C-alpha cells in the first residue's frame, strides 16, 4: 500500500492541519485516489497477483515438507511424506510452467511498452506536423487577408478611375457638342462672308462690265467719225493734228482691248493662283524653276499639329514608310518581312493589301512615278519589285553579299539603284533583272538617292558621295557631321538633306556644294544607323523622328525649330514621310506603331 504522504505529494495537495471538516475531506480524497489506483493497476497485474499468490502457497507447502523431514519419520509421516513428495513434484512442474508464463508475460509487456512508445513518438510527430500545418494555415490566411485588402484598395482605385473616365467622357461629349456648335457658327460666318464677298465681286463685275460697255460704245463712235473724215482721196496728206488723233485713237483702242483682257476672269484666276502658291517666307518660283518639279506636287506644305490616327501597323518594328505620288496611298515595311499598303482617306489610314515574298525584314520602300509599282530593299541581300495588284514580287534583284539598306528608282525608265552593307552601289536593269553597273565604296552604304545622271550615297564614314551613273565613278565627296543614316532630295533636286548620328540634320545646296546648313534641337537624338529624315514637298520644312518618340520639324528659311509632336510614340522613331500634297505626315517606330499627323 502506498504511503499517504506520497499520495499527497502526487496529488500536489497538502492536508489542512486544523478543522475536522477539512480532515475528513482530504482523507476521503486520499481513499478515492487509492481506489482509482487499485482499479487501474489491479486490472493490469491481475494475472501476476494470482500467480504470485499461488507461488506463496506453494512456498508455504514446501516449508511444511521440510519441517516434516527434519523430525523422526513414522508410518503416517512416511505416507504424508510420499504424498508431499508427489505434491512437490507437481509443484515443481507447476512452478516451472508458471515461471515460463511469467517470462512470457514480461516479454509481452515489453513489446506492448515498445509499441506504446512508438505510438507516443508518432503522436508527437503528428502533433508537430499539425503545429506546422496550423502555422502554414495561419500564414496563408494572413496572405488571403492581405490580398483581399489589396483587392479592396484596387477596386476603390478602379472605381475612382472609372468615375474620372466617365467625367472625362462627359466633358469630351460636351466639348464635342461645343466644337460642333462653334464649327457650325464659324461655317455660318464663313458663308455669310463668302456671300458678302460674292455680292461685292458681283457688283464690281457689273460696274466693270458697264464701264467696259461705255468704253466700247465710245470707241465705236470714234471709229465711225474717223472713217467719215478720212473718206477723201488724199488720206495720206492729213495734217499732223489728225495724225496725232489717229495715233491716240489707236492707242486708246489698244489700251481698251488690253484692259479688257486683263479684267477677264481667266487672268484674275491665274493671278490669284500665282499669289496663293507660296506665302511662307519664299518668293514665287519662276517658270524655269518650276520645270523640273513633278506634275501635281504642292508648293505649300502644311505643318502638322495633331495626330489624326494611331495604329499598330505591323506585328514587329517598322523600318520604312513612303507616300505614293498621288498621296492617297501609303506603304510601310517592317521587320515582320511584309509590306503593308494603306489608303489615306479623310484623315485616316485603311489597310488595303499586304505584299510578302521577302525572307527577312524590309529596310526601305519607294513607289514609282506612276504609283503602280513599289520597290523595297531587304535584309535578305536582295531588292524586290511588286505590282500593287499582285502580292508576289514581280522582279527579285540578287547579287549583294550583305543586307541591302536602300533601293531607289532612277530617272531612267526600268532602272533602279541599290546600296548595301557590302560597300557597293549597284545599278540594275529591271527588264533583265541584271546588274549593269557596280561601284565599289570605301565604307558601309546607309542610303542612296537619285537625280538626273547621278547617284548620291551616304556612308558611315561621315561622307556623302556623288556618283556619275553613266561611268560609275565618284565625281564629288561632301563631308557630313557624323555617320550618315539617311538622305533625301528636294522635289526640284537642288537640295540634299542628310541625317547624321551626331544628332544633326545637314541641308546641302547641290548647285553650290559649299552652302551647307545644320539643324539641331534640344532633345533631338538620332535613334539608330537607319533613322530616316525627310524634306517637305515645298522644301520649306525638315522632319525627323527622335529616339524619345518625338517628331521634330524645322523651318528651312529661319533655321529654327518650327514645332515638336510628342506623346504618340513610346519608342525610337525609325522613319518619317511627308505626302506630296503637303497635307499629311506619317511617322513609324520600332514598337509597330504608325501615327498619321496633320494640321486639320
Amino acid at each position: 500500500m502506498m504511503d499517504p504522504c506520497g499520495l499527497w505529494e502526487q496529488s500536489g495537495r497538502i492536508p489542512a492541519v486544523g478543522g475536522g471538516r477539512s480532515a475528513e475531506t482530504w482523507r476521503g480524497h486520499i481513499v478515492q485516489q487509492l481506489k482509482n489506483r487499485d482499479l487501474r493497476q489491479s486490472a493490469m497485474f491481475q494475472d501476476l497477483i494470482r500467480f504470485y499468490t499461488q507461488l506463496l502457497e506453494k512456498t508455504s507447502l514446501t516449508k511444511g515438507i521440510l519441517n516434516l523431514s527434519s523430525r523422526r519419520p513414522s508410518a503416517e509421516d512416511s505416507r504424508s511424506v510420499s504424498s508431499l513428495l508427489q505434491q512437490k513434484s507437481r509443484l515443481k512442474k507447476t512452478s516451472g510452467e508458471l515461471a515460463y508464463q511469467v517470462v512470457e508475460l514480461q516479454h509481452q509487456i515489453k513489446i506492448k511498452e515498445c509499441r506504446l512508445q512508438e505510438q507516443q513518438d508518432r503522436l508527437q510527430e503528428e502533433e508537430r506536423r499539425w503545429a506546422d500545418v496550423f502555422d502554414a494555415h495561419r500564414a496563408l490566411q494572413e496572405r488571403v487577408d492581405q490580398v483581399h485588402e489589396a483587392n479592396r484598395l484596387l477596386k476603390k482605385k478602379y472605381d475612382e478611375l472609372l468615375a474620372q473616365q466617365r467625367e472625362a467622357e462627359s466633358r469630351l461629349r460636351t466639348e464635342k457638342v461645343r466644337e460642333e456648335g462653334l464649327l457650325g457658327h464659324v461655317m455660318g460666318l464663313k458663308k455669310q462672308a463668302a456671300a458678302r464677298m460674292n455680292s461685292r465681286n458681283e457688283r464690281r463685275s457689273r460696274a466693270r462690265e458697264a464701264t467696259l460697255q461705255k468704253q466700247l460704245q465710245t470707241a465705236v463712235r470714234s471709229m465711225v467719225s474717223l472713217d467719215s473724215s478720212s473718206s477723201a482721196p488724199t488720206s495720206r496728206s492729213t495734217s499732223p493734228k489728225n495724225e496725232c488723233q489717229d495715233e491716240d485713237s489707236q492707242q486708246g483702242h489698244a489700251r481698251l482691248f488690253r484692259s479688257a483682257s486683263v479684267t477677264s476672269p481667266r487672268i484674275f484666276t491665274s493671278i490669284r493662283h500665282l499669289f496663293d502658291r507660296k506665302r511662307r517666307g519664299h518668293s514665287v518660283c519662276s517658270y524655269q524653276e518650276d520645270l523640273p518639279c513633278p506634275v501635281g506636287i504642292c508648293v505649300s506644305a502644311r505643318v502638322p499639329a495633331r495626330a489624326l490616327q494611331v495604329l499598330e501597323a505591323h506585328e514587329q518594328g517598322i523600318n520604312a514608310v513612303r507616300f505614293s505620288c498621288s498621296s492617297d496611298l501609303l506603304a510601310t515595311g517592317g521587320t515582320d518581312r511584309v509590306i503593308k499598303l494603306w489608303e489615306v482617306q479623310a484623315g485616316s489610314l485603311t489597310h488595303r493589301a499586304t505584299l510578302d515574298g521577302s525572307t527577312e525584314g524590309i529596310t526601305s520602300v519607294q513607289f514609282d512615278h506612276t504609283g503602280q509599282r513599289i520597290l523595297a530593299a531587304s535584309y535578305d541581300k536582295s531588292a524586290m519589285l511588286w505590282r500593287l495588284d499582285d502580292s508576289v514580287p514581280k522582279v527579285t534583284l540578287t547579287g549583294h553579299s550583305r543586307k541591302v539598306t536602300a533601293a531607289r528608282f532612277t530617272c531612267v525608265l526600268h532602272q533602279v539603284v541599290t546600296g548595301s552593307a557590302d560597300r557597293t552601289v549597284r545599278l540594275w536593269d529591271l527588264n533583265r533583272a541584271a546588274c549593269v553597273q557596280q561601284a565599289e565604296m570605301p565604307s558601309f552604304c546607309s542610303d542612296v538617292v537619285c537625280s538626273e545622271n547621278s547617284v548620291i550615297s551616304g556612308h558611315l564614314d561621315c561622307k556623302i558621295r556623288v556618283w556619275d551613273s553613266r561611268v560609275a565613278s565618284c565625281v564629288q565627296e561632301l563631308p557630313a557631321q557624323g555617320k550618315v543614316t539617311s538622305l533625301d532630295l528636294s522635289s526640284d533636286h537642288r537640295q540634299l538633306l542628310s541625317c547624321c548620328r551626331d544628332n544633326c540634320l545637314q541641308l546641302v545646296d547641290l548647285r553650290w556644294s559649299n552652302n551647307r546648313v545644320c539643324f539641331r534641337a534640344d532633345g533631338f537624338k538620332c535613334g539608330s544607323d537607319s533613322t530616316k529624315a525627310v524634306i517637305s514637298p515645298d522644301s520649306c520644312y525638315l522632319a525627323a523622328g527622335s529616339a524619345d518618340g518625338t517628331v521634330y520639324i524645322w523651318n528651312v528659311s529661319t533655321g529654327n525649330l518650327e514645332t515638336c509632336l510628342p506623346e504618340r510614340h513610346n519608342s525610337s522613331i525609325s522613319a518619317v514621310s511627308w505626302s506630296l500634297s503637303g497635307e499629311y505626315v506619317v511617322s513609324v517606330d520600332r514598337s509597330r506603331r504608325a501615327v498619321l499627323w496633320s494640321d486639320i
Side-chain angles (χ1 to χ4, degrees):
M1 181 179 281
M2 181 176 283
D3 188 6
C5 295
L7 290 174
W8 295 338
E9 292 174 358
Q10 254 186 344
S11 62
R13 296 182 180 181
I14 300 175
V17 177
R21 186 76 177 173
S22 62
E24 290 178 2
T25 302
W26 66 262
R27 286 194 186 98
H29 184 68
I30 291 173
V31 170
Q32 186 64 34
Q33 284 187 350
L34 289 174
K35 288 180 180 180
N36 293 335
R37 180 178 178 183
D38 183 57
L39 289 174
R40 289 196 306 270
Q41 295 183 356
S42 62
M44 296 172 59
F45 299 97
Q46 191 68 34
D47 294 337
L48 279 175
I49 293 171
R50 187 176 65 253
F51 293 149
Y52 183 70
T53 304
Q54 293 176 2
L55 185 60
L56 290 177
E57 290 177 355
K58 291 175 183 179
T59 303
S60 63
L61 183 60
T62 303
K63 287 182 179 180
I65 292 171
L66 292 176
N67 291 332
L68 288 175
S69 63
S70 63
R71 293 183 299 172
R72 182 176 292 181
S74 62
E76 187 179 354
D77 292 335
S78 62
R79 286 194 297 270
S80 60
V81 167
S82 60
S83 62
L84 288 172
L85 289 174
Q86 291 175 359
Q87 290 179 359
K88 185 177 180 180
S89 61
R90 288 197 300 270
L91 287 172
K92 285 183 179 179
K93 185 177 180 180
T94 304
S95 62
E97 292 176 357
L98 292 174
Y100 177 75
Q101 289 178 1
V102 169
V103 172
E104 287 292 330
L105 290 173
Q106 289 178 349
H107 182 65
Q108 291 178 3
I109 288 171
K110 289 182 180 178
I111 291 173
K112 289 183 179 180
E113 287 178 351
C114 292
R115 289 180 180 175
L116 180 62
Q117 185 65 32
E118 290 177 357
Q119 290 178 356
Q120 289 179 350
D121 294 340
R122 288 178 59 189
L123 179 61
Q124 292 177 357
E125 182 67 24
E126 292 297 330
E127 288 178 351
R128 285 195 296 271
R129 289 179 58 190
W130 180 82
D132 295 340
V133 170
F134 181 76
D135 294 338
H137 173 73
R138 187 171 60 246
L140 289 175
Q141 187 64 37
E142 291 176 355
R143 186 175 177 185
V144 168
D145 295 339
Q146 293 175 0
V147 170
H148 282 316
E149 182 65 21
N151 287 340
R152 187 183 65 80
L153 295 176
L154 288 176
K155 180 67 169 54
K156 183 178 178 182
K157 234 181 243 188
Y158 170 76
D159 293 337
E160 293 176 356
L161 291 175
L162 188 60
Q164 293 177 5
Q165 180 189 3
R166 288 173 179 170
E167 184 180 356
E169 288 178 351
S170 176
R171 289 199 304 268
L172 179 61
R173 286 192 293 269
T174 305
E175 292 297 329
K176 282 185 176 179
V177 172
R178 183 183 174 189
E179 180 184 0
E180 290 176 358
L182 291 175
L183 185 60
H185 180 64
V186 170
M187 293 301 295
L189 293 178
K190 286 188 175 180
K191 287 181 180 179
Q192 294 175 5
R196 288 195 299 271
M197 181 64 70
N198 291 335
S199 176
R200 189 181 302 114
N201 291 337
E202 188 176 356
R203 289 197 301 270
R204 290 178 180 176
S205 178
R206 285 198 298 268
R208 283 196 298 268
E209 289 177 359
T211 304
L212 180 60
Q213 189 69 24
K214 290 180 181 179
Q215 290 177 355
L216 287 174
Q217 291 176 1
T218 304
V220 169
R221 291 195 197 96
S222 63
M223 288 175 64
V224 170
S225 63
L226 180 62
D227 290 338
S228 61
S229 62
S230 60
S231 58
T234 58
S235 60
R236 290 189 180 180
S237 60
T238 57
S239 64
K241 183 176 180 179
N242 291 334
E243 288 180 328
C244 291
Q245 290 178 354
D246 192 15
E247 290 177 2
D248 290 338
S249 64
Q250 291 178 1
Q251 290 179 2
H253 292 310
R255 283 194 300 270
L256 176 64
F257 290 108
R258 203 177 297 126
S259 62
S261 63
V262 169
T263 56
S264 64
R266 184 180 301 173
I267 296 300
F268 275 118
T269 304
S270 63
I271 293 174
R272 189 180 300 112
H273 240 348
L274 185 64
F275 283 99
D276 286 344
R277 291 178 66 185
K278 279 191 177 182
R279 297 182 179 179
R280 301 191 180 183
H282 285 268
S283 60
V284 179
C285 295
S286 65
Y287 176 76
Q288 290 79 7
E289 291 176 341
D290 286 338
L291 281 177
C293 296
V295 177
I297 195 167
C298 85
V299 291
S300 181
R302 300 178 181 178
V303 178
R306 67 185 185 92
L308 300 181
Q309 187 178 4
V310 180
L311 72 159
E312 301 290 335
H314 284 255
E315 296 180 357
Q316 298 179 20
I318 308 175
N319 299 326
V321 60
R322 184 74 65 171
F323 277 95
S324 64
C325 296
S326 59
S327 301
D328 59 352
L329 198 61
L330 179 76
T332 57
T335 55
D336 56 356
R337 301 175 295 181
V338 298
I339 295 174
K340 290 191 176 182
L341 301 178
W342 309 84
E343 289 184 354
V344 186
Q345 294 179 350
S348 65
L349 300 177
T350 305
H351 182 257
R352 172 178 171 178
T354 299
L355 308 179
D356 53 13
S358 175
T359 58
E360 296 292 341
I362 303 298
T363 58
S364 73
V365 292
Q366 187 187 21
F367 287 92
D368 68 343
H369 66 282
T370 64
Q372 299 300 318
R373 299 183 301 172
I374 187 168
L375 179 68
S378 173
Y379 280 95
D380 63 357
K381 308 174 187 177
S382 67
M384 283 156 284
L385 181 71
W386 284 268
R387 290 187 60 85
L388 298 188
D389 55 356
D390 190 1
S391 62
V392 179
K394 181 180 180 182
V395 178
T396 301
L397 307 175
T398 59
H400 286 286
S401 60
R402 296 182 65 182
K403 67 178 181 180
V404 180
T405 56
R408 298 284 184 268
F409 289 100
T410 65
C411 297
V412 180
L413 193 63
H414 303 302
Q415 278 190 357
V416 297
V417 63
T418 58
S420 171
D422 61 0
R423 300 185 179 184
T424 61
V425 172
R426 301 192 180 199
L427 187 66
W428 303 82
D429 186 354
L430 293 179
N431 292 328
R432 297 182 294 159
C435 177
V436 294
Q437 284 185 8
Q438 176 177 329
E440 299 291 337
M441 304 290 176
S443 176
F444 185 110
C445 178
S446 58
D447 201 1
V448 295
V449 291
C450 301
S451 62
E452 187 176 0
N453 298 327
S454 64
V455 176
I456 305 174
S457 58
H459 302 270
L460 296 188
D461 62 350
C462 308
K463 294 292 180 64
I464 300 172
R465 294 176 171 87
V466 182
W467 302 81
D468 191 340
S469 59
R470 295 167 294 186
V471 295
S473 62
C474 180
V475 296
Q476 190 177 10
E477 280 190 1
L478 305 175
Q481 297 294 324
K483 295 179 179 179
V484 180
T485 64
S486 72
L487 298 175
D488 192 28
L489 274 176
S490 62
S491 56
D492 56 4
H493 291 186
R494 293 175 180 174
Q495 291 179 316
L496 175 68
L497 173 66
S498 62
C499 180
C500 302
R501 285 290 280 168
D502 67 334
N503 309 324
C504 171
L505 270 64
Q506 180 176 271
L507 191 63
V508 181
D509 192 333
L510 295 178
R511 293 171 296 181
W512 300 279
S513 58
N514 292 327
N515 187 4
R516 295 190 294 270
V517 182
C518 294
F519 297 85
R520 298 179 183 271
D522 294 334
F524 174 74
K525 184 177 180 181
C526 185
S528 68
D529 288 344
S530 59
T531 300
K532 302 292 190 299
V534 68
I535 306 177
S536 66
D538 62 346
S539 304
C540 295
Y541 301 96
L542 311 178
S546 176
D548 61 354
T550 303
V551 179
Y552 289 78
I553 299 178
W554 288 267
N555 191 313
V556 174
S557 60
T558 63
N560 298 326
L561 185 67
E562 183 76 14
T563 185
C564 293
L565 307 175
E567 300 177 356
R568 291 299 179 179
H569 292 279
N570 51 17
S571 64
S572 176
I573 297 177
S574 54
V576 179
S577 182
W578 208 312
S579 66
L580 293 183
S581 64
E583 186 176 3
Y584 301 109
V585 173
V586 171
S587 57
V588 295
D589 62 22
R590 303 292 185 186
S591 62
R592 308 174 296 174
R593 181 171 294 181
V595 181
L596 178 66
W597 305 89
S598 182
D599 66 334
I600 299 174

